[in-house]
Amino acid sequence: MKEKYKMLGLDYDLIASEFPDLNEYETVVSAYFNDPFFLELREMIEAQDYEMVKDAAKGLYFLAQDLKLYPLYYALVEIYADIEEETVNDLMKHYEEMLTVYQKMRGVFCA
């Protein structure tokens, strides 16, 4: 299990200290990865609905932070920052980068 977390760039010791029951933690993480906003973000970006992108990214990154999924957290913060800083030209690129991290993690936790 430790190797799985390390492979994803996660701090196993930090997660285990915060979530002593790792089976329950992984159940919660699996549910989180099934949040439809991860995939709906693309539609929001294409529709230029930047307020929805901002709200969805913020909600997702707060949960990623709480779950100690820091690589995903940082990728989601990039999307949020694009909206905050009005640098929407980078938005789709940052979405694609986040999607890569999301798919890798989801593939491990939801296998």
Side-chain angles (χ1 to χ4, degrees), residues 44-74:
M44 294 174 205
I45 293 167
E46 289 171 349
Q48 298 180 353
D49 190 350
Y50 299 131
E51 283 304 311
M52 275 300 291
V53 172
K54 183 178 172 182
D55 289 345
K58 187 175 185 178
L60 290 170
Y61 85 65
F62 273 129
L63 287 170
Q65 182 180 33
D66 289 346
L67 294 169
K68 313 301 183 214
L69 302 171
Y70 291 119
L72 185 57
Y73 164 79
Y74 294 127

Side-chain angles (χ1 to χ4, degrees), residues 23 26 63 80 94:
N23 289 325
E26 291 197 9
L63 287 170
Y80 183 83
H94 287 143

Side-chain angles (χ1 to χ4, degrees), residues 21-101:
D21 184 347
L22 289 177
N23 289 325
E24 182 179 332
Y25 170 77
E26 291 197 9
T27 299
V28 171
V29 170
S30 292
Y32 169 68
F33 282 125
N34 286 316
D35 189 314
F37 278 135
F38 283 109
L39 301 178
E40 290 172 3
L41 275 169
R42 177 186 298 279
E43 296 165 18
M44 294 174 205
I45 293 167
E46 289 171 349
Q48 298 180 353
D49 190 350
Y50 299 131
E51 283 304 311
M52 275 300 291
V53 172
K54 183 178 172 182
D55 289 345
K58 187 175 185 178
L60 290 170
Y61 85 65
F62 273 129
L63 287 170
Q65 182 180 33
D66 289 346
L67 294 169
K68 313 301 183 214
L69 302 171
Y70 291 119
L72 185 57
Y73 164 79
Y74 294 127
L76 288 160
V77 167
E78 286 292 328
I79 293 170
Y80 183 83
D82 287 341
I83 303 295
E84 276 290 291
E85 298 166 8
E86 298 180 8
T87 54
V88 295
N89 292 339
D90 294 333
L91 196 52
M92 190 55 80
K93 179 182 90 149
H94 287 143
Y95 171 77
E96 293 295 337
E97 290 168 358
M98 181 281 301
L99 191 61
T100 299
V101 174

Side-chain angles (χ1 to χ4, degrees), residues 96-110:
E96 293 295 337
E97 290 168 358
M98 181 281 301
L99 191 61
T100 299
V101 174
Y102 161 78
Q103 289 172 334
K104 179 179 179 183
M105 289 184 158
R106 188 177 192 283
V108 170
F109 280 104
C110 299

Side-chain angles (χ1 to χ4, degrees), residues 2-20:
K2 203 173 202 176
E3 286 303 311
K4 171 172 80 171
Y5 286 63
K6 186 177 178 180
M7 177 184 73
L8 295 173
L10 303 177
D11 185 335
Y12 175 85
D13 295 326
L14 175 64
I15 292 169
S17 72
E18 292 280 326
F19 304 94

